[in-house]
Amino acid sequence: MLGALLSGIFLSACGYLYPAYECFKAVEKNAPNKEALIFWCRYWILLALLTVCERLLGVFVSWLPLYDEAKLIFVIYLWHPKTKGAVYIYNTFLRPVLMKHEKEIDRKLMEVWCRGKDFAVQNAQKFAYQGQAKFFEILQFVTAQAAAAQAAKPQAASASVEKEK
């Protein structure tokens, strides 16, 4: 109903800018309120999860009528002072699942981290080897061109001397 552009503007303002500012205020107070910090951490965790799910399932749900408007209402529900939906959803749904599977998640993350590190090291070594090979190839080309130019100078000089005779 609102249109994608208008919904996007409202979602940016209500889902990101306002919560980010409130989070800033909670962090930068002289005596930060622990409860406020925990609330905003929960909000950002849920928003990140929503964003990831939307990226994965967006093709299937984005065509639903009033999807953008429902998402906007949900995001406001998460942070609104009267509902504080982030506390309810986090404590009721997300926390129990994460607590139950925390060790498995940590193990998988460590596996992915190690594989990624091994992949990066392996490819960095290949890149360095290929870069070194290309560097020496270019160096040989440049020295060959310089040698050819040097060899051509005496011949050109002797040819101009013979033309003068």
Side-chain angles (χ1 to χ4, degrees):
M1 285 289 192
L2 287 176
L5 179 62
L6 203 51
S7 291
I9 291 170
F10 283 138
L11 184 62
S12 294
C14 295
Y16 295 97
L17 292 177
Y18 174 75
Y21 182 67
E22 287 296 321
C23 191
F24 161 79
K25 287 185 353 181
V27 169
E28 295 301 323
K29 285 186 177 178
N30 288 336
N33 181 349
K34 182 180 176 184
E35 290 300 316
L37 293 173
I38 290 171
F39 172 79
W40 287 112
C41 282
R42 288 175 178 160
Y43 171 82
W44 290 113
I45 290 168
L46 290 170
L47 191 66
L49 185 63
L50 175 66
T51 303
V52 169
C53 289
E54 187 178 37
R55 300 282 172 151
L56 296 174
L57 303 173
V59 174
F60 303 110
V61 295
S62 62
W63 59 270
L64 292 170
L66 300 174
Y67 171 74
D68 291 330
E69 291 81 358
K71 182 179 169 186
L72 176 62
I73 290 168
F74 178 70
V75 166
I76 292 171
Y77 162 76
L78 288 177
W79 60 255
H80 198 275
K82 290 193 180 198
T83 59
K84 294 215 177 204
V87 173
Y88 175 75
I89 291 176
Y90 181 87
N91 288 335
T92 306
F93 300 106
L94 187 60
R95 186 174 187 271
V97 171
L98 290 178
M99 294 298 283
K100 181 179 178 183
H101 300 289
E102 184 178 7
K103 289 181 181 178
E104 295 170 47
I105 294 169
D106 286 342
R107 186 176 48 78
K108 287 290 184 186
L109 285 174
M110 187 57 75
E111 285 177 18
V112 168
W113 173 257
C114 290
R115 285 182 185 165
K117 194 168 103 177
D118 292 344
F119 178 79
V121 167
Q122 195 175 44
N123 284 309
Q125 289 172 342
K126 286 180 185 178
F127 177 77
Y129 175 75
Q130 290 177 349
Q132 183 182 16
K134 282 292 179 192
F135 174 75
F136 285 123
E137 189 178 305
I138 292 169
L139 194 58
Q140 284 179 333
F141 176 77
V142 168
T143 55
Q145 292 296 320
Q150 199 69 3
K153 276 186 182 178
Q155 290 176 355
S158 64
S160 64
V161 170
E162 286 183 19
K163 282 186 182 178
E164 290 177 7
K165 290 183 184 179

